[in-house]
mmCIF file of all heavy atoms in Angstrom:
data_model
loop_
_atom_site.group_PDB
_atom_site.id
_atom_site.type_symbol
_atom_site.label_atom_id
_atom_site.label_comp_id
_atom_site.label_asym_id
_atom_site.label_seq_id
_atom_site.Cartn_x
_atom_site.Cartn_y
_atom_site.Cartn_z
ATOM 1 N N PRO B 162 91.321 87.115 76.355
ATOM 2 C CA PRO B 162 90.229 86.352 77.038
ATOM 3 C C PRO B 162 88.934 86.275 76.267
ATOM 4 O O PRO B 162 88.334 85.235 76.053
ATOM 5 C CB PRO B 162 90.017 87.170 78.258
ATOM 6 C CG PRO B 162 91.250 87.959 78.496
ATOM 7 C CD PRO B 162 91.873 88.162 77.165
ATOM 8 N N ALA B 163 88.620 87.306 75.556
ATOM 9 C CA ALA B 163 87.368 87.418 74.723
ATOM 10 C C ALA B 163 87.598 86.437 73.615
ATOM 11 O O ALA B 163 86.629 85.697 73.278
ATOM 12 C CB ALA B 163 87.257 88.835 74.231
ATOM 13 N N ALA B 164 88.808 86.410 73.064
ATOM 14 C CA ALA B 164 89.119 85.487 71.835
ATOM 15 C C ALA B 164 88.928 83.918 72.310
ATOM 16 O O ALA B 164 88.267 83.192 71.622
ATOM 17 C CB ALA B 164 90.396 85.626 71.258
ATOM 18 N N LEU B 165 89.336 83.692 73.567
ATOM 19 C CA LEU B 165 89.217 82.331 74.139
ATOM 20 C C LEU B 165 87.862 82.012 74.234
ATOM 21 O O LEU B 165 87.330 80.906 73.882
ATOM 22 C CB LEU B 165 90.017 82.174 75.424
ATOM 23 C CG LEU B 165 91.506 82.035 75.247
ATOM 24 C CD1 LEU B 165 92.261 82.067 76.651
ATOM 25 C CD2 LEU B 165 92.011 80.975 74.401
ATOM 26 N N PHE B 166 86.982 82.844 74.929
ATOM 27 C CA PHE B 166 85.701 82.647 75.085
ATOM 28 C C PHE B 166 84.867 82.491 73.779
ATOM 29 O O PHE B 166 83.946 81.668 73.725
ATOM 30 C CB PHE B 166 84.976 83.603 76.019
ATOM 31 C CG PHE B 166 85.278 83.310 77.446
ATOM 32 C CD1 PHE B 166 86.458 83.501 78.189
ATOM 33 C CD2 PHE B 166 84.222 82.811 78.331
ATOM 34 C CE1 PHE B 166 86.626 83.015 79.468
ATOM 35 C CE2 PHE B 166 84.507 82.409 79.729
ATOM 36 C CZ PHE B 166 85.715 82.636 80.271
ATOM 37 N N ALA B 167 85.269 83.400 72.891
ATOM 38 C CA ALA B 167 84.570 83.419 71.606
ATOM 39 C C ALA B 167 84.841 82.014 70.947
ATOM 40 O O ALA B 167 84.034 81.369 70.341
ATOM 41 C CB ALA B 167 85.049 84.453 70.736
ATOM 42 N N LEU B 168 86.096 81.466 71.097
ATOM 43 C CA LEU B 168 86.441 80.230 70.487
ATOM 44 C C LEU B 168 85.690 79.070 71.137
ATOM 45 O O LEU B 168 85.121 78.190 70.454
ATOM 46 C CB LEU B 168 88.005 80.003 70.620
ATOM 47 C CG LEU B 168 88.519 78.653 70.214
ATOM 48 C CD1 LEU B 168 88.414 78.543 68.549
ATOM 49 C CD2 LEU B 168 89.973 78.394 70.623
ATOM 50 N N VAL B 169 85.545 79.110 72.402
ATOM 51 C CA VAL B 169 84.841 78.030 73.179
ATOM 52 C C VAL B 169 83.327 78.051 72.852
ATOM 53 O O VAL B 169 82.762 77.045 72.650
ATOM 54 C CB VAL B 169 85.027 78.288 74.679
ATOM 55 C CG1 VAL B 169 84.159 77.333 75.478
ATOM 56 C CG2 VAL B 169 86.469 77.969 75.074
ATOM 57 N N SER B 170 82.809 79.260 72.643
ATOM 58 C CA SER B 170 81.371 79.239 72.524
ATOM 59 C C SER B 170 80.878 79.318 71.069
ATOM 60 O O SER B 170 79.814 79.447 70.609
ATOM 61 C CB SER B 170 80.840 80.523 73.176
ATOM 62 O OG SER B 170 81.409 81.715 72.548
ATOM 63 N N GLY B 171 81.957 79.250 70.238
ATOM 64 C CA GLY B 171 81.750 79.129 68.814
ATOM 65 C C GLY B 171 81.144 80.559 68.114
ATOM 66 O O GLY B 171 80.419 80.491 67.192
ATOM 67 N N GLN B 172 81.603 81.602 68.724
ATOM 68 C CA GLN B 172 81.175 82.858 68.091
ATOM 69 C C GLN B 172 82.168 83.324 67.064
ATOM 70 O O GLN B 172 83.115 84.116 67.256
ATOM 71 C CB GLN B 172 80.977 84.034 69.158
ATOM 72 C CG GLN B 172 79.929 83.586 70.099
ATOM 73 C CD GLN B 172 79.787 84.622 71.285
ATOM 74 O OE1 GLN B 172 79.702 85.798 71.015
ATOM 75 N NE2 GLN B 172 79.736 84.277 72.517
ATOM 76 N N GLY B 173 81.921 82.867 65.894
ATOM 77 C CA GLY B 173 82.828 83.011 64.791
ATOM 78 C C GLY B 173 83.247 84.542 64.408
ATOM 79 O O GLY B 173 84.336 84.800 64.199
ATOM 80 N N ALA B 174 82.176 85.230 64.287
ATOM 81 C CA ALA B 174 82.425 86.803 63.900
ATOM 82 C C ALA B 174 83.308 87.378 64.917
ATOM 83 O O ALA B 174 84.367 87.994 64.477
ATOM 84 C CB ALA B 174 81.082 87.447 63.905
ATOM 85 N N ALA B 175 82.991 87.317 66.169
ATOM 86 C CA ALA B 175 83.805 87.919 67.299
ATOM 87 C C ALA B 175 85.308 87.391 67.226
ATOM 88 O O ALA B 175 86.297 88.106 67.306
ATOM 89 C CB ALA B 175 83.307 87.629 68.625
ATOM 90 N N LEU B 176 85.384 86.062 67.135
ATOM 91 C CA LEU B 176 86.700 85.446 67.059
ATOM 92 C C LEU B 176 87.465 85.910 65.760
ATOM 93 O O LEU B 176 88.675 86.256 65.944
ATOM 94 C CB LEU B 176 86.478 83.906 66.908
ATOM 95 C CG LEU B 176 87.825 83.175 66.952
ATOM 96 C CD1 LEU B 176 88.527 83.304 68.235
ATOM 97 C CD2 LEU B 176 87.532 81.567 66.805
ATOM 98 N N GLY B 177 86.778 86.008 64.671
ATOM 99 C CA GLY B 177 87.420 86.485 63.496
ATOM 100 C C GLY B 177 88.065 87.877 63.701
ATOM 101 O O GLY B 177 89.091 88.206 63.357
ATOM 102 N N GLY B 178 87.078 88.766 64.295
ATOM 103 C CA GLY B 178 87.582 90.208 64.552
ATOM 104 C C GLY B 178 88.773 90.173 65.388
ATOM 105 O O GLY B 178 89.751 91.018 65.110
ATOM 106 N N LEU B 179 88.704 89.415 66.556
ATOM 107 C CA LEU B 179 89.865 89.518 67.354
ATOM 108 C C LEU B 179 91.075 89.026 66.879
ATOM 109 O O LEU B 179 92.153 89.467 67.001
ATOM 110 C CB LEU B 179 89.503 88.692 68.723
ATOM 111 C CG LEU B 179 88.351 89.417 69.565
ATOM 112 C CD1 LEU B 179 87.714 88.451 70.555
ATOM 113 C CD2 LEU B 179 88.760 90.724 70.086
ATOM 114 N N VAL B 180 91.045 87.710 66.166
ATOM 115 C CA VAL B 180 92.226 87.203 65.583
ATOM 116 C C VAL B 180 92.804 87.984 64.543
ATOM 117 O O VAL B 180 93.955 88.323 64.391
ATOM 118 C CB VAL B 180 91.871 85.694 65.056
ATOM 119 C CG1 VAL B 180 93.048 85.171 64.219
ATOM 120 C CG2 VAL B 180 91.648 84.865 66.146
ATOM 121 N N GLY B 181 91.821 88.691 63.692
ATOM 122 C CA GLY B 181 92.220 89.550 62.595
ATOM 123 C C GLY B 181 92.986 90.746 63.184
ATOM 124 O O GLY B 181 94.114 91.093 62.665
ATOM 125 N N ALA B 182 92.429 91.244 64.394
ATOM 126 C CA ALA B 182 93.135 92.414 65.037
ATOM 127 C C ALA B 182 94.548 92.127 65.464
ATOM 128 O O ALA B 182 95.576 92.762 65.300
ATOM 129 C CB ALA B 182 92.336 92.923 66.211
ATOM 130 N N ALA B 183 94.658 90.753 65.991
ATOM 131 C CA ALA B 183 95.988 90.357 66.563
ATOM 132 C C ALA B 183 96.779 90.290 65.245
ATOM 133 O O ALA B 183 98.106 90.489 65.449
ATOM 134 C CB ALA B 183 95.839 89.056 67.408
ATOM 135 N N ALA B 184 96.378 89.670 64.296
ATOM 136 C CA ALA B 184 97.199 89.363 63.027
ATOM 137 C C ALA B 184 97.843 90.778 62.456
ATOM 138 O O ALA B 184 98.824 90.856 62.154
ATOM 139 C CB ALA B 184 96.450 88.701 62.039
ATOM 140 N N ILE B 185 96.943 91.769 62.534
ATOM 141 C CA ILE B 185 97.199 93.146 61.902
ATOM 142 C C ILE B 185 98.384 93.633 62.826
ATOM 143 O O ILE B 185 99.269 94.314 62.454
ATOM 144 C CB ILE B 185 96.068 94.009 61.793
ATOM 145 C CG1 ILE B 185 95.138 93.535 60.631
ATOM 146 C CG2 ILE B 185 96.444 95.397 61.375
ATOM 147 C CD1 ILE B 185 93.733 94.132 60.569
ATOM 148 N N ALA B 186 98.172 93.506 64.194
ATOM 149 C CA ALA B 186 99.120 93.953 65.146
ATOM 150 C C ALA B 186 100.453 93.240 64.986
ATOM 151 O O ALA B 186 101.557 93.978 65.051
ATOM 152 C CB ALA B 186 98.637 93.916 66.631
ATOM 153 N N TRP B 187 100.463 91.921 64.699
ATOM 154 C CA TRP B 187 101.640 91.318 64.493
ATOM 155 C C TRP B 187 102.380 91.860 63.210
ATOM 156 O O TRP B 187 103.498 92.075 63.115
ATOM 157 C CB TRP B 187 101.226 89.753 64.294
ATOM 158 C CG TRP B 187 102.453 88.918 63.983
ATOM 159 C CD1 TRP B 187 103.415 88.481 64.851
ATOM 160 C CD2 TRP B 187 102.893 88.433 62.767
ATOM 161 N NE1 TRP B 187 104.427 87.754 64.292
ATOM 162 C CE2 TRP B 187 104.096 87.669 62.870
ATOM 163 C CE3 TRP B 187 102.399 88.617 61.381
ATOM 164 C CZ2 TRP B 187 104.857 87.193 61.840
ATOM 165 C CZ3 TRP B 187 102.980 88.029 60.428
ATOM 166 C CH2 TRP B 187 104.131 87.360 60.556
ATOM 167 N N ALA B 188 101.478 92.101 62.167
ATOM 168 C CA ALA B 188 102.122 92.504 60.889
ATOM 169 C C ALA B 188 102.705 93.968 61.150
ATOM 170 O O ALA B 188 103.731 94.313 60.535
ATOM 171 C CB ALA B 188 100.964 92.807 59.848
ATOM 172 N N ALA B 189 102.008 94.892 62.020
ATOM 173 C CA ALA B 189 102.673 96.161 62.450
ATOM 174 C C ALA B 189 104.087 95.870 63.074
ATOM 175 O O ALA B 189 104.907 96.606 62.693
ATOM 176 C CB ALA B 189 101.724 96.774 63.309
ATOM 177 N N GLY B 190 104.091 94.975 63.990
ATOM 178 C CA GLY B 190 105.398 94.632 64.591
ATOM 179 C C GLY B 190 106.482 94.305 63.500
ATOM 180 O O GLY B 190 107.676 94.701 63.518
ATOM 181 N N ARG B 191 106.032 93.504 62.567
ATOM 182 C CA ARG B 191 106.933 93.025 61.404
ATOM 183 C C ARG B 191 107.407 94.254 60.612
ATOM 184 O O ARG B 191 108.516 94.319 60.278
ATOM 185 C CB ARG B 191 106.301 92.035 60.563
ATOM 186 C CG ARG B 191 105.972 90.652 61.216
ATOM 187 C CD ARG B 191 107.114 89.926 61.433
ATOM 188 N NE ARG B 191 107.976 89.676 60.261
ATOM 189 C CZ ARG B 191 109.484 89.484 60.265
ATOM 190 N NH1 ARG B 191 109.999 89.458 61.435
ATOM 191 N NH2 ARG B 191 110.049 89.371 59.116
ATOM 192 N N VAL B 192 106.472 95.146 60.157
ATOM 193 C CA VAL B 192 106.817 96.315 59.487
ATOM 194 C C VAL B 192 107.852 97.125 60.252
ATOM 195 O O VAL B 192 108.859 97.533 59.694
ATOM 196 C CB VAL B 192 105.489 97.100 59.356
ATOM 197 C CG1 VAL B 192 105.755 98.607 58.781
ATOM 198 C CG2 VAL B 192 104.558 96.358 58.268
#
Side-chain angles (χ1 to χ4, degrees):
Chain B
L165 285 178
F166 275 75
L168 178 68
V169 170
S170 61
Q172 298 180 47
L176 183 64
L179 294 166
V180 171
I185 294 172
W187 177 80
R191 291 290 306 154
V192 164

